[in-house]
Amino acid sequence: MDTSISHKNSSIETLRALAVVLVFLHHLHSGANITLPYIAHAGGWLGVQIFFVISGYLIILSAVRYSFKEYAIHRLARIYPAYLFWFFVFSIITKQLTWQSLDLEALSVHLLFLQHFFPLHYYKYNALFVSWTLTVELMWYIVAFACATQFKKSPIKITLIFMGISYLWIFWGAVYFPHYKEMDSNVKHFFVDNNFLNQLPFFFFGALIAIKNPKFDKAGLATMFLLTVVLSSSWKSHFPDPIFITGFGVASLFLMLKDMNYENPKIIRFISEVSYSFYLVHYPVIVLITKITGNKLSIVFFSITVTLLISYLSHRFIEQPFINLSKRKIKEFMPKAQIN
């Protein structure tokens, strides 16, 4: 979900825009009962996985470049201000957050991006609905910086290790997860099967692309994407599914686009630029508009329009000022010789 590094290229723009649109279409289904075949169900997980692979690519480059202080300032300035603002706005609008029902423990969990570790606290303040992915993102930031130097030396080895950890979690993770027996099947799938340990390989696939820059035949990459993503429903039910299998297809899509020389239309560049704010606000916007009108065409039109407008304002007046502030702070840490 990161856009702060200068390694912007058309493939990242394309994938970031595609990811947020897929998630939006999925939530039109879950939030407004407007269904598009396949995308309504697959768009959510596919969009998130695309975001994670892109983040893996960008964040590992940041982790090997900056000191801890510089890195931390970049990360906090990038994701926290917009999240904090819209978390409070929509939690108050939806009346989840009131003085009468204030739960300081649950609120603290959300403000620290730890909500995906605490199911009951997540549901207490879940107006944004997508905030669980920020827990996963935060864990990746920590892991990426901790292993950045070693990863640069042995990217394939470390990626395989985390793939192994992810697969082991499928069989033994439930044993160590609090309150597992009391959870219903949906909650188990959401919080246990999709635990951050299971998500980390997506980031490592992106990081591997950043460090190794592998080259493969595009026909082979297209086949991998077809088998692991498009046809995923045909094999997922037949064996314990480490969710990172579809990551091979997402990474293949990235590799196919990465070496192409093309320029995106303005609308793709715009959606990519505001994608983080778009991602944060789109679900509550869909839900609130659905409460105002039951007309599906109106829901789609106003959900798109309002989300794009809010995203633009959020990016310009919240995200960008804090990104610029972080850049100025980073320059203060750098020796004058580096600045010049």
Side-chain angles (χ1 to χ4, degrees):
M1 300 172 201
D2 185 87
T3 61
S4 62
I5 300 176
S6 60
H7 300 275
K8 292 184 179 179
N9 57 48
S10 294
S11 62
I12 292 176
E13 288 178 341
T14 301
L15 289 173
R16 190 183 284 121
L18 174 63
V20 79
V21 168
L22 286 171
V23 173
F24 178 84
L25 293 174
H26 170 69
H27 286 145
L28 276 178
H29 167 71
S30 61
N33 199 29
I34 298 172
T35 302
L36 289 177
Y38 184 77
I39 294 177
H41 300 284
W45 60 260
L46 180 56
V48 168
Q49 290 176 13
I50 292 172
F51 273 132
F52 287 168
V53 171
I54 295 171
S55 182
Y57 179 88
L58 294 171
I59 298 305
I60 201 66
L61 295 174
S62 180
V64 299
R65 177 182 178 187
Y66 295 110
S67 68
F68 174 75
K69 184 180 287 188
E70 294 167 335
Y71 179 79
I73 289 173
H74 266 307
R75 297 300 95 229
L76 288 175
R78 183 65 192 91
I79 68 171
Y80 198 69
Y83 167 76
L84 186 67
F85 182 84
W86 294 115
F87 171 80
F88 279 111
V89 166
F90 285 111
S91 294
I92 292 170
I93 288 176
T94 59
K95 298 182 179 179
Q96 289 187 8
L97 184 60
T98 64
W99 284 114
Q100 293 76 15
S101 62
L102 185 63
D103 185 333
L104 289 177
E105 183 177 329
L107 182 61
S108 298
V109 164
H110 280 267
L111 296 183
L112 293 172
F113 293 143
L114 299 177
Q115 52 268 49
H116 201 222
F117 295 139
F118 301 93
L120 294 180
H121 291 335
Y122 168 77
Y123 286 117
K124 179 78 175 181
Y125 298 120
N126 71 333
L128 297 182
F129 199 70
V130 298
S131 66
W132 69 271
T133 59
L134 297 180
T135 301
V136 181
E137 191 81 9
L138 176 64
M139 293 301 102
W140 163 240
Y141 292 166
I142 295 170
V143 171
F145 190 82
C147 74
T149 301
Q150 192 60 38
F151 185 82
K152 198 172 182 181
K153 298 176 183 177
S154 308
I156 295 176
K157 178 181 177 181
I158 292 177
T159 299
L160 289 172
I161 288 172
F162 276 92
M163 286 169 60
I165 292 171
S166 177
Y167 201 86
L168 289 174
W169 178 261
I170 295 172
F171 298 101
W172 291 300
V175 177
Y176 303 102
F177 203 89
H179 312 297
Y180 182 79
K181 292 182 179 179
E182 289 81 19
M183 295 178 182
D184 64 37
S185 59
N186 287 331
V187 175
K188 288 177 181 176
H189 175 73
F190 186 54
F191 290 96
V192 182
D193 298 343
N194 288 302
N195 186 273
F196 88 95
L197 289 173
N198 251 8
Q199 306 280 357
L200 280 177
F202 295 114
F203 297 99
F204 277 103
F205 292 160
L208 186 62
I209 292 171
I211 299 300
K212 295 288 287 184
N213 192 26
K215 305 292 182 182
F216 297 104
D217 179 72
K218 282 186 168 52
L221 293 172
T223 301
M224 178 66 74
F225 178 74
L226 176 66
L227 292 176
T228 60
V229 174
V230 178
L231 299 178
S232 61
S233 59
S234 64
W235 53 261
K236 273 180 174 288
S237 60
H238 296 293
F239 65 93
D241 172 24
I243 61 172
F244 65 76
I245 293 294
T246 49
F248 289 117
V250 175
S252 296
L253 179 61
F254 186 13
L255 286 170
M256 279 192 289
L257 295 174
K258 183 173 175 292
D259 294 326
M260 291 183 181
N261 185 19
Y262 69 98
E263 185 174 343
N264 284 305
K266 287 184 179 179
I267 185 61
I268 299 297
R269 298 201 300 270
F270 173 74
I271 293 174
S272 173
E273 191 71 18
V274 304
S275 59
Y276 179 54
S277 287
F278 190 109
Y279 183 73
L280 289 177
V281 307
H282 77 277
Y283 185 80
V285 167
I286 290 171
V287 171
L288 291 171
I289 288 176
T290 302
K291 291 180 178 179
I292 296 173
T293 176
N295 182 278
K296 291 187 175 182
L297 186 60
S298 296
I299 292 171
V300 172
F301 174 78
F302 285 111
S303 293
I304 294 172
T305 304
V306 173
T307 299
L308 286 173
L309 176 61
I310 293 176
S311 300
Y312 167 73
L313 295 173
S314 177
H315 177 75
R316 181 171 180 179
F317 295 109
I318 302 176
E319 290 184 63
Q320 203 60 55
F322 278 96
I323 291 172
N324 293 338
L325 177 62
S326 72
K327 289 178 179 178
R328 291 196 296 272
K329 288 295 182 183
I330 295 300
K331 285 185 178 180
E332 293 176 9
F333 302 138
M334 296 173 64
K336 290 183 178 180
Q338 281 186 263
I339 297 175
N340 296 330

